């Protein structure tokens, strides 16, 4: 007999299960061979010549609670995102977000060393999958921004912002904040950059999501947007051209040429399709869980 909650712990794809095994395996490796942290984690002073740690660091969890949170978070968020994005795009998002987040963390650590002259920023082993998980929250924000979390009574679109706000608040009371805070911040921002400007949709040959509901300012409360909008416009011009898009045209520009398929109307349709797919998947899982709970327990004689 299946338990009532079995639907929650089912439906994980092969890709999600395989990457979860990698996360758990990486943790086991560093526990059995502590010296492997030197070669797998991101240690800024040793990134050259150990450049591969820009990739491997994201899949190495050094603590038990870290591997538990990362594995469960990856399985549940991946179960929602992979069916909407597709396996190839899902894997591409993980790789790009992980790699670019590691690059940004590396540059930040070097900058902090030169500003403070403290060698801990050079030799502190940095690793963990939380940067990609932060990017996943941005993906959930993009797909179902107005979905409400009944337990917290907040909309999904505020999850990345609340996660960062809570992490920054905790950083004032924990000396280890340098090991996770930059990764969370850059993971969120890189995830947004990729989904906003770079993600391609094979079925429609579109790239990015130019809708106003996914603008950088939507991560902040209304009263802060007069401050954040000018900052966001600088990066927008860097990524999409030197001038704003005329009102009679659609989409972004790159060096004066329009980006292929950056139509805000089509982006809105994509989000609607993604939201529908997500709702259908959640409804199917609830139905499966309800059916399993209604099944009568098997009698001993029935088993014979």
């Amino acid at each position: 007999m299946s338990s009532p909650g079995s639907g929650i712990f089912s439906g994980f794809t092969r890709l999600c299960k395989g990457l979860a095994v990698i996360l758990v395996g990486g943790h086991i490796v560093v526990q059995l061979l502590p010296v492997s942290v030197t070669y797998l984690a991101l240690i800024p002073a040793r990134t050259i010549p150990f450049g591969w740690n820009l990739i491997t660091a994201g899949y190495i969890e050094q603590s038990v609670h870290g591997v538990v949170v990362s594995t469960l978070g990856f399985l549940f968020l991946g179960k929602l995102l992979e069916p909407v994005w597709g396996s190839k795009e899902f894997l591409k998002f993980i790789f790009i977000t992980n790699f670019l987040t590691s690059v940004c963390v590396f540059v930040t650590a070097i900058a902090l060393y030169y500003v403070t002259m403290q060698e801990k920023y050079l030799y502190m082993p940095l690793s963990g999958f939380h940067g990609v998980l932060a990017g996943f929250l941005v993906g959930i924000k993009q797909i179902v921004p107005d979905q409400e979390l009944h337990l917290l009574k907040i909309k999904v679109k505020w999850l990345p912002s609340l996660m960062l706000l809570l992490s920054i608040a905790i950083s004032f009371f924990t000396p280890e904040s340098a090991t996770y805070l930059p990764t969370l911040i850059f993971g969120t921002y890189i995830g947004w950059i990729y989904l906003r400007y770079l993600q391609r949709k094979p079925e429609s040959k579109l790239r990015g999501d130019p809708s106003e509901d996914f603008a950088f300012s939507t991560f902040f409360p209304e009263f802060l947007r007069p401050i954040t909008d000018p900052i966001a416009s600088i990066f927008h011009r860097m990524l999409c051209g030197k001038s704003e898009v005329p009102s009679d045209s659609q989409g972004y520009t790159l060096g004066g040429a329009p980006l292929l398929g950056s139509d805000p109307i089509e982006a809105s349709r994509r989000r609607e399709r993604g939201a529908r797919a997500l709702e259908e998947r959640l409804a199917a899982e609830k139905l499966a869980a309800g059916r399993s709970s209604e099944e009568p327990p098997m009698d001993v004689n029935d088993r014979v």
Side-chain angles (χ1 to χ4, degrees):
M1 172 182 171
S2 301
S3 62
S6 60
I8 301 176
F9 296 97
S10 63
F12 302 126
T13 65
R14 291 181 180 179
L15 178 58
C16 287
K17 292 177 181 178
L19 291 176
V21 169
I22 291 177
L23 292 177
V24 175
H27 174 71
I28 294 175
V29 168
V30 297
Q31 295 302 312
L32 296 179
L33 300 171
V35 70
S36 63
V37 173
T38 304
Y39 301 96
L40 298 177
L42 175 60
I43 302 177
R46 296 174 178 171
T47 298
I48 301 175
F50 300 159
W52 60 80
N53 59 32
L54 292 171
I55 297 175
T56 59
Y59 307 103
I60 299 299
E61 290 289 352
Q62 300 180 52
S63 63
V64 174
H65 67 271
V67 72
V68 170
V69 171
S70 292
T71 303
L72 292 178
F74 173 69
L75 286 173
F76 284 103
L77 292 177
K79 182 170 68 170
L80 299 178
L81 291 173
E82 186 184 350
V84 178
W85 289 348
S87 298
K88 183 178 179 180
E89 184 60 39
F90 180 70
L91 191 60
K92 183 179 177 183
F93 177 86
I94 293 174
F95 178 82
I96 292 178
T97 302
N98 174 60
F99 176 70
L100 293 182
T101 297
S102 294
V103 171
C104 292
V105 170
F106 169 74
V107 173
T108 302
I110 298 298
L112 287 173
Y113 166 72
Y114 281 109
V115 170
T116 65
M117 299 307 294
Q118 296 184 26
E119 291 190 353
K120 68 176 184 178
Y121 294 114
L122 293 180
Y123 295 99
M124 181 183 300
L126 306 171
S127 65
F129 199 68
H130 41 285
V132 176
L133 293 182
F136 280 170
L137 290 181
V138 179
I140 298 294
K141 167 187 171 72
Q142 180 196 35
I143 295 173
V144 283
D146 295 322
Q147 182 77 29
E148 187 176 87
L149 298 176
H150 299 292
L151 294 178
L152 301 178
K153 300 297 182 183
I154 60 171
K155 291 185 176 180
V156 168
K157 65 181 180 181
W158 293 115
L159 282 181
S161 305
L162 291 175
M163 177 271 297
L164 288 179
L165 183 62
L166 181 62
S167 300
I168 292 172
I170 294 175
S171 69
F172 289 104
F173 305 99
T174 57
E176 300 85 9
S177 60
T179 62
Y180 67 86
L181 188 57
T183 305
L184 290 174
I185 293 174
F186 287 122
T188 302
Y189 189 63
I190 295 298
W192 176 79
I193 286 287
Y194 180 81
L195 295 174
R196 177 73 166 173
Y197 298 105
L198 303 175
Q199 186 184 51
R200 290 184 178 274
K201 299 294 180 180
E203 69 279 4
S204 55
K205 297 182 179 179
L206 296 181
R207 179 166 64 181
D209 182 354
S211 62
E212 289 299 321
D213 293 335
F214 197 53
F216 182 72
S217 58
T218 61
F219 287 84
F220 301 89
E222 289 284 348
F223 68 91
L224 288 177
R225 292 182 183 179
I227 301 174
T228 59
D229 282 341
I231 299 174
S233 66
I234 296 174
F235 292 97
H236 178 82
R237 287 194 294 269
M238 289 172 57
L239 289 165
C240 301
K242 297 182 179 179
S243 60
E244 294 294 331
V245 181
S247 58
D248 59 346
S249 63
Q250 293 180 330
Y252 293 137
T253 62
L254 181 60
L259 287 179
L260 177 63
S262 57
D263 185 348
I265 297 177
E266 183 60 32
S268 178
R269 291 174 182 168
R270 284 205 318 270
R271 302 235 312 285
E272 290 176 2
R273 289 196 297 268
R276 259 197 319 271
L278 186 58
E279 290 173 0
E280 290 172 359
R281 185 179 183 86
L282 293 175
E285 291 179 357
K286 289 181 180 179
L287 181 61
R291 288 177 177 175
S292 63
S293 64
E294 293 173 0
E295 291 179 359
M298 294 180 62
D299 187 74
V300 176
N301 295 328
D302 296 335
R303 294 176 184 159
V304 177

